[in-house]
Amino acid sequence: MSVLPPTGSLIPVDAPFSAAQESWLAGFIAGIAAAGRKSAPPAPTTTVDVLFGTQTGNAESLADQLVAGAAARGLGGRATALDDVSPEQLAGMSHVLVVTSTYGEGEMPDNAGLFWDAVQASTVPRLEGLQYAVLGLGDTSYDEFCQAGKLIDTRFEQLGATRLHDRVDCDVDFEDPAALWTAAVLDRVAAETGAQPGVQPGAAPGGGAGATTSAADVTGASRASRPGSQWTKRNPYPARLVANRLLSDPRSAKEIRHYEFDLGDSGITYAAGDALAVVPRNDDVLVGDLLAHLGATGAEVFDGRTVRDLLRTDREVRTPSKDLIADLVQREPSSELAAVVAHGDKHELDRWLWGRDVLDLLRDAGPNAPGLDDLLPFLRPLQARQYSISSSPLAHPGRVHLTVASVRYGDVNRRHSGVASTHLADRVAVGDEVGVYLQPNAAFSVPADDDAPLVMVGPGTGIAPFRGFLHERAARGATGRNWLFFGDQHRDTDFVYRDELTDLQDSGVLTRLDLAFSRDQAEKVYVQTRMREHSAELYRWLEDGATFAVCGDASRMAKDVETALLAVIAEQRGRGDDDAAEYLADLRRAKRYVRDVY
């Protein structure tokens, strides 16, 4: 839906600014105006509570921007993770703005699940005194697009809260619609409460968790607002690649590589646990094959750019969009794709689509496939790929490391490859520049207490952040014990960072290392197998205050690890499954069960 620009703005409607730039300028102008006044009216007492649910940090960054925008309008503001708010605190708030992503197949992100469970209870307080608005972040390639935001929006309404503004559901390019929603919602709250720009009020009586925060405070405190945060997917930093080495053995079925980038004068400051987004380019060979199939030269112009350049840098040509699939079904209702779609089985469709890209679908569609002009609007924007950082800024100042599996598959007739992983492996030479930007992840980090134990589960490339964690703890001189569960297919070919891990063991930084190489024996062994084998010791670590951290595949590994963890807790406590589930919920609340899953 469309959102009107801020009312009373001094910015002309035809000014050449994006929505995000207009929102920032409006607040800046308001601040200048307020600074020029000799006196200000009494400060209102309205505080806007911004509650966020995030998996990768985008929602938290937007929450920080909302707090800054509230401050510029003379409103109080505080950003709080959804799981840190109880229903009783929620009922005491007056104005709540929810920003949440959706994880997996319509699930709440990791720091919002406990909140969602709590507000669904029959005993939850009514919210008649609450005004709210919801901003959802999602990806239209998933069936349950922005489902977390939709659920919270509906539940607040059911509990009697009043909607300040219609919910807005943002696709992957969320910046402009989010900025418009932010301006519209905050302007409405300011107008209704009589807030004056530049006035910093105190906390509203009966407010929720956290203290009122000014824009300056947010900039100083938030990991999403650190120096270097000017680099974004629209303005990535051209980092120089300084290392690219193969970690897995050439005989391995996988190709895992270690990359290092020089951060130069970017000002980027990261923390162990953050992610780095890499802005890729599509393979020239694939782009050429696609143009040839379409009978195009690439010199054609679309939106002021040549089609070849557009396909190389701006459009997703690997993963077909839902709109393209729907169009192909309509054009050729007797096709194999149409038959699969007609069954209405999402998993069957996913299986059929796996390994097929846009060119595959166009070839399958035959003469009824769309031509160049019809196809281009169906291609989604090419997105940056995020990778867990595998280094510590203390141990590797000025550089950032990544551990990436190069995705390659197909047969003799046609080979496919991952967009960003093979862009790095095949098309970027050491010394070349790559567009990158930081994706902070405050919910996944090294324990602040250097004496606290840490358990890490990271098979395959899931080891990436834990390499950074171990280097960080070593550089800090942390005395807390560290236990790593790592595994892959074969010890001889897939034991990445073997020498480093051995050195970390020898130096006493890595207290325990349990390995699970699934295909080195007749019966497959996984990291969750090792967890169950050492259940008594693992539970003792939890009782000693250990943080339990998981990184890797969300669809299988992370779920299997959580099932094993619940089984360990239930077995050791002997009080049943419900008690184990509540124990794990307590770990979540204490930020001692954290995940970086994808």
Side-chain angles (χ1 to χ4, degrees):
M1 63 168 291
S2 62
V3 183
L4 293 176
T7 58
S9 174
L10 298 178
I11 304 169
V13 294
D14 59 349
F17 300 126
S18 69
Q21 290 169 327
E22 284 198 19
S23 177
W24 184 90
L25 282 170
F28 179 73
I29 291 170
I32 291 176
R37 297 190 186 101
K38 293 183 178 180
S39 61
T45 57
T46 301
T47 294
V48 176
D49 281 286
V50 184
L51 311 183
F52 62 88
T54 189
Q55 198 69 36
T56 62
N58 285 328
E60 182 177 7
S61 178
L62 286 174
D64 289 340
Q65 294 174 34
L66 276 163
V67 171
R73 291 164 172 81
L75 296 162
R78 52 195 164 200
T80 312
L82 280 160
D83 273 359
D84 291 337
V85 177
S86 69
E88 292 71 26
Q89 288 173 317
L90 179 66
M93 297 173 182
S94 62
H95 296 79
V96 169
L97 305 181
V98 176
V99 185
T100 184
S101 62
T102 297
Y103 156 72
E105 296 301 327
E107 301 167 32
M108 294 288 163
D110 277 1
N111 67 344
L114 296 176
F115 172 86
W116 177 240
D117 291 342
V119 297
Q120 289 185 90
S122 59
T123 56
V124 67
R126 298 285 296 172
L127 302 177
E128 270 83 2
L130 177 69
Q131 297 186 64
Y132 77 100
V134 177
L135 181 70
L137 305 183
D139 183 338
T140 51
S141 65
Y142 289 89
D143 287 339
E144 303 296 340
F145 172 60
C146 287
Q147 183 66 10
K150 293 173 183 176
L151 290 172
I152 291 175
D153 186 36
T154 300
R155 184 56 177 158
F156 278 22
E157 183 180 45
Q158 291 171 343
L159 293 172
T162 301
R163 194 177 282 108
L164 272 167
H165 194 286
D166 289 341
R167 186 189 71 251
V168 169
D169 298 328
C170 301
D171 203 354
V172 288
D173 283 338
F174 61 84
E175 288 84 358
D176 282 352
L180 288 170
W181 178 89
T182 294
V185 172
L186 290 177
D187 283 351
R188 178 167 179 175
V189 175
E192 290 182 354
T193 60
Q196 296 295 319
V199 176
Q200 298 297 322
T212 298
T213 309
S214 70
D217 293 334
V218 170
T219 302
S222 170
R223 290 173 64 174
S225 306
R226 288 186 298 229
S229 61
Q230 74 270 25
W231 306 111
T232 66
K233 65 181 177 182
R234 294 183 178 180
N235 181 39
Y237 175 71
R240 185 168 56 91
L241 180 67
V242 294
N244 171 2
R245 71 174 187 269
L246 184 65
L247 292 175
S248 52
D249 189 276
R251 297 170 295 158
S252 173
K254 301 180 179 182
E255 179 188 319
I256 301 178
R257 292 186 170 273
H258 173 90
Y259 299 96
E260 297 183 17
F261 296 91
D262 184 354
L263 295 176
D265 61 355
S266 67
I268 292 174
T269 57
Y270 71 92
D274 286 344
L276 189 75
V278 174
V279 180
R281 293 187 176 185
N282 285 314
D283 184 2
D284 284 336
V285 174
L286 173 59
V287 170
D289 290 345
L290 183 58
L291 289 170
H293 177 81
L294 294 166
T297 66
E300 298 85 354
V301 176
F302 184 86
D303 282 347
R305 300 176 59 186
T306 67
V307 168
R308 183 179 296 276
D309 183 50
L310 190 76
L311 293 177
R312 286 184 68 238
T313 63
D314 275 12
R315 292 294 184 269
E316 178 64 68
V317 295
R318 283 290 177 195
T319 306
S321 68
K322 284 187 173 182
D323 289 340
L324 176 58
I325 292 170
D327 181 73
L328 291 171
V329 169
Q330 185 177 15
R331 288 171 180 269
E332 186 51 78
S334 61
S335 67
E336 184 180 354
L337 171 60
V340 174
V341 172
H343 287 164
D345 186 332
K346 176 189 178 302
H347 296 293
E348 181 183 358
L349 177 61
D350 288 343
R351 284 193 297 270
W352 191 88
L353 288 172
W354 192 91
R356 287 180 164 94
D357 60 17
V358 170
L359 180 56
D360 289 323
L361 265 60
L362 293 179
R363 287 175 172 173
D364 289 344
N368 290 328
L372 178 65
D373 291 341
D374 290 333
L375 173 66
L376 289 175
F378 290 131
L379 300 181
R380 291 164 52 80
L382 180 61
Q383 295 300 307
R385 269 52 173 182
Q386 295 180 18
Y387 297 104
S388 302
I389 292 174
S390 57
S391 55
S392 158
L394 297 180
H396 306 95
R399 289 195 177 186
V400 63
H401 299 180
L402 299 181
T403 307
V404 180
S406 302
V407 177
R408 306 181 194 274
Y409 58 94
D411 54 32
V412 293
N413 297 315
R414 178 124 192 268
R415 298 295 298 172
H416 296 76
S417 56
V419 177
S421 64
T422 58
H423 174 64
L424 292 174
D426 302 341
R427 300 187 291 279
V428 178
V430 171
D432 288 350
E433 292 180 342
V434 180
V436 302
Y437 60 93
L438 186 67
Q439 189 67 57
N441 187 358
F444 190 80
S445 58
V446 179
D449 182 358
D450 284 343
D451 296 330
L454 173 63
V455 179
M456 299 161 283
V457 182
T461 55
I463 194 176
F466 300 136
R467 176 181 182 263
F469 282 19
L470 290 167
H471 286 192
E472 176 85 5
R473 297 201 99 182
R476 279 168 30 179
T479 57
R481 295 169 292 158
N482 301 296
W483 185 351
L484 174 65
F485 290 89
F486 171 76
D488 212 312
Q489 293 184 355
H490 299 286
R491 185 186 185 106
D492 287 345
T493 59
D494 303 312
F495 192 173
V496 300
Y497 296 121
R498 181 198 312 238
D499 293 342
E500 279 192 29
L501 293 175
T502 300
D503 290 343
L504 287 166
Q505 276 189 291
D506 292 343
S507 67
V509 174
L510 183 55
T511 312
R512 287 196 59 154
L513 175 62
D514 280 277
L515 302 170
F517 294 100
S518 60
R519 301 184 184 181
D520 278 350
Q521 59 283 312
E523 183 178 353
K524 291 184 178 180
V525 174
Y526 300 104
V527 286
Q528 59 267 26
T529 311
R530 299 301 187 212
M531 287 170 55
R532 291 174 184 266
E533 289 174 352
H534 302 290
S535 60
E537 181 68 9
L538 179 55
Y539 181 69
R540 278 195 294 272
W541 279 54
L542 294 177
E543 285 290 278
D544 288 343
T547 293
F548 189 92
V550 184
C551 181
D553 171 61
S555 61
R556 293 186 179 179
M557 185 279 296
K559 291 181 179 179
D560 291 342
V561 166
E562 182 164 309
T563 298
L565 182 57
L566 284 167
V568 166
I569 295 168
E571 173 191 321
Q572 295 301 313
R573 290 174 64 83
R575 302 176 188 175
D577 294 342
D578 289 344
D579 172 79
E582 185 56 35
Y583 187 97
L584 189 61
D586 286 340
L587 292 180
R588 286 187 188 274
R589 293 186 188 99
K591 307 298 186 291
R592 288 177 48 213
Y593 176 44
V594 295
R595 307 193 307 170
D596 178 14
V597 296
Y598 41 85

